[in-house]
């Protein structure tokens, strides 16, 4: 009996010796994704793409909902609720409370994505102390970082389309200061155009501030000049907050039936997508290239793995790849050929412009000769034309 017990104990010790190291070497830990999206085509793709990359690299990913108003206390609370001892990194799409998160978890590697991070990068802002933290790696934003660049791009679209009466919508400056900057740049660009234009463009009224609620159909189109607009320019997420109101106003006959929308964001709702194109309600969408999310994953993996790029210059705030969808052909390409039109994770991954084999050599933990410069150029190279080939 004693021999049998000794044999069992020996076997148990041997099993422990083999099993425990194998389990601990199985993964590098967990990466939290603090997401300002909780549904929709972009959200579904980001989750699938992150999970694919994480699996290849040996991590797991947990999605953490960001606070709906970018509230510092809300973001900190949500990260705390998700934090476990195996968490090694955070990809954040909001900056509210980021300094508090990094002070709470000083060993956590953090990288930003799909946002402007003005609370971090603006001098004296609430999370400016993040820039002094050696575990903060930088940011790849949501299309244009510069509000001026965004405003001028939308103004040129208005000029190219020949619109003569336009208005603008923005989110509140406390949450999205870039929108206020973009609106000012838009107006300045149009004013400069009007100096030599045979027919000047009128911007009707001040920017309408949408406090994360839809454009008020019952009031907006009864304000002076709004019933004859050629176009509404939404620096906010116009697919959600402007488009439904325009459809309603047209059905009520209280606005120009030919009025168009220029805005940003993306939504794979079939009815909305069917209403995008040259002769539809939405004629231009500008959004971050979907595959740009490779950049934060590659950077945070390099830091966690101790294989940081030899040419890493330190913290930068960068434009993402930028998708300008402003023709029927481009809308059709995104709807039919990109992950935004997919209905399963398998299809989303198959339709992405970069598979794991395409991207793996840009990861420093996979390729010792990988370059930060090449990674950045790769992630900024994705455009809507990539889905039209």
């Amino acid at each position: 009996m004693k021999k049998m017990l000794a044999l069992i104990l020996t076997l148990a010790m041997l099993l422990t010796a083999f099993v425990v190291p194998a389990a601990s070497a199985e993964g590098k830990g967990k990466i939290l994704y603090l997401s300002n999206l909780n549904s929709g085509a972009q959200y579904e793709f980001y989750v699938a793409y992150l999970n694919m990359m994480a699996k290849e690299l040996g991590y797991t990913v947990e999605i953490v909902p960001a606070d709906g108003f970018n509230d510092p206390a809300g973001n900190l609370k949500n990260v705390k609720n998700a934090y476990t001892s195996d968490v090694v990194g955070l990809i954040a799409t909001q900056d509210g409370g980021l300094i508090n998160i990094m002070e709470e978890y000083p060993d956590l590697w953090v990288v930003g994505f799909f946002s402007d991070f003005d609370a971090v990068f603006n001098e004296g802002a609430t999370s400016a102390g993040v820039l002094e933290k050696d575990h903060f790696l930088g940011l790849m934003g949501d299309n244009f970082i510069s509000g001026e660049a965004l405003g001028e791009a939308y103004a040129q679209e208005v000029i190219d389309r020949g619109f003569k009466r336009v208005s603008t919508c923005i989110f509140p400056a406390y949450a999205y200061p870039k929108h206020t900057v973009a609106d000012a740049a838009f107006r300045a660009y149009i004013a400069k155009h009007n100096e030599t234009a045979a027919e000047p463009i009128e911007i009707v009224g001040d920017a309408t501030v949408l406090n994360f609620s839809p454009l008020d159909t019952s009031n907006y189109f009864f304000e002076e000049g709004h019933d004859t607009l050629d176009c509404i320019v939404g620096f906010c997420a116009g697919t959600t907050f402007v488009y439904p109101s325009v459809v309603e106003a047209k059905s009520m006959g209280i606005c120009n039936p030919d009025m168009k929308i220029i805005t940003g964001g993306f939504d794979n709702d079939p009815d909305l997508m069917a209403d995008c194109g040259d002769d539809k309600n939405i004629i231009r969408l500008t959004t971050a290239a979907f595959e740009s999310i490779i950049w934060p994953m590659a950077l945070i993996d390099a830091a966690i793995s101790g294989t940081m790029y030899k040419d890493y210059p330190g913290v930068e705030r960068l434009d993402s790849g930028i998708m300008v969808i402003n023709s029927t052909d481009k809308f059709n390409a995104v709807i039919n050929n990109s992950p935004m039109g997919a209905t399963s994770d398998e299809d989303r991954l198959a339709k992405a412009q970069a598979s794991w084999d395409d991207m793996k050599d840009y990861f420093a933990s996979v390729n010792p000769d990988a370059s930060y410069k090449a990674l950045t150029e790769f992630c900024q190279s994705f455009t809507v034309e990539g889905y039209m080939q």
Side-chain angles (χ1 to χ4, degrees):
M1 185 67 177
K2 288 182 179 180
K3 289 183 179 180
M4 180 63 72
L5 288 173
L7 179 60
I8 291 171
L9 181 61
T10 302
L11 287 172
M13 291 174 66
L14 286 170
L15 284 171
T16 301
F18 284 104
V19 171
V20 171
S24 63
E26 218 168 69
K28 298 179 183 177
K30 183 189 296 181
I31 295 174
L32 302 180
Y33 181 62
L34 183 68
S35 175
N36 58 357
L37 302 176
N38 57 27
S39 63
Q42 282 176 287
Y43 171 80
E44 291 164 350
F45 173 70
Y46 287 150
V47 172
Y49 218 43
L50 283 172
N51 279 324
M52 177 273 291
M53 291 186 283
K55 183 177 179 181
E56 294 287 351
L57 294 164
Y59 302 99
T60 58
V61 171
E62 181 174 339
I63 310 303
V64 180
D67 182 85
F69 293 93
N70 195 24
D71 177 65
N75 284 332
L76 176 60
K77 177 184 176 182
N78 291 350
V79 169
K80 276 187 172 183
N81 288 342
Y83 194 89
T84 51
S85 61
D86 59 341
V87 170
V88 289
L90 172 70
I91 298 173
T93 67
Q94 285 192 353
D95 54 11
L98 197 61
I99 183 65
N100 309 101
I101 293 168
M102 295 197 71
E103 287 175 350
E104 183 77 19
Y105 305 108
D107 295 328
L108 187 68
W109 290 103
V110 177
V111 64
F113 177 66
F114 201 53
S115 180
D116 299 326
F117 272 36
D118 284 328
V120 171
F121 286 93
N122 287 354
E123 187 176 352
T126 55
S127 281
V130 165
L131 296 177
E132 299 174 6
K133 304 293 185 183
D134 60 9
H135 275 50
F136 180 64
L137 301 168
L139 167 81
M140 179 162 280
D142 178 12
N143 65 77
F144 296 104
I145 288 293
S146 164
E148 288 89 349
L150 180 62
E152 291 176 2
Y154 281 6
Q156 189 60 55
E157 189 80 38
V158 165
I159 293 167
D160 292 344
R161 297 277 181 172
F163 296 139
K164 299 306 174 190
R165 290 175 59 78
V166 301
S167 69
T168 61
C169 295
I170 61 175
F171 281 149
Y174 73 82
Y176 288 89
K178 183 172 81 172
H179 292 177
T180 300
V181 174
D183 183 72
F186 176 86
R187 292 167 186 270
Y189 197 94
I190 295 295
K192 183 70 174 176
H193 164 80
N194 284 346
E195 291 176 3
T196 57
E199 294 183 70
I201 298 168
E202 180 185 359
I203 303 175
V204 179
D206 296 330
T208 298
V209 180
L210 303 179
N211 196 20
F212 306 103
S213 58
L215 189 66
D216 185 353
T217 306
S218 61
N219 289 321
Y220 183 82
F221 293 102
F222 292 101
E223 294 177 5
E224 185 176 354
H226 287 173
D227 59 331
T228 57
L229 292 172
D230 294 323
C231 179
I232 296 177
V233 175
F235 295 108
C236 54
T239 52
T240 300
F241 295 94
V242 176
Y243 171 75
S245 303
V246 167
V247 172
E248 182 182 12
K250 288 188 176 184
S251 71
M252 296 168 62
I254 58 175
C255 69
N256 176 4
D258 296 322
M259 184 175 62
K260 307 299 183 185
I261 302 169
I262 294 171
T263 191
F266 198 90
D267 191 322
N268 64 346
D269 175 80
D271 292 336
L272 186 147
M273 286 294 97
D275 209 1
C276 294
D278 294 322
D279 59 346
K280 306 292 186 178
N281 276 320
I282 298 175
I283 58 168
R284 169 171 171 150
L285 290 177
T286 305
T287 188
F290 313 123
E291 294 84 357
S292 294
I293 199 169
I294 296 167
W295 189 88
M297 179 59 96
L299 206 57
I300 208 164
D301 171 59
I304 294 167
S305 302
T307 57
M308 183 51 70
Y309 299 92
K310 296 180 181 66
D311 62 338
Y312 174 62
V315 171
E316 293 188 299
R317 179 162 67 158
L318 304 168
D319 291 347
S320 67
I322 297 171
M323 296 189 59
V324 176
I325 316 169
N326 61 350
S327 71
T328 297
D329 287 345
K330 290 178 181 180
F331 276 109
N332 287 339
V334 173
I335 294 165
N336 297 321
N337 302 335
S338 87
M340 298 303 103
T343 56
S344 69
D345 284 351
E346 182 180 7
D347 197 21
R348 289 180 188 102
L349 298 178
K351 288 183 172 180
Q353 292 186 55
S355 67
W356 174 248
D357 284 344
D358 297 322
M359 70 179 78
K360 65 182 181 181
D361 283 343
Y362 293 97
F363 284 77
S365 68
V366 177
N367 173 18
D369 297 322
S371 152
Y372 171 85
K373 181 175 183 290
L375 167 71
T376 300
E377 290 175 352
F378 177 63
C379 292
Q380 290 176 328
S381 70
F382 300 110
T383 65
V384 67
E385 284 76 14
Y387 300 122
M388 301 177 73
Q389 298 171 0

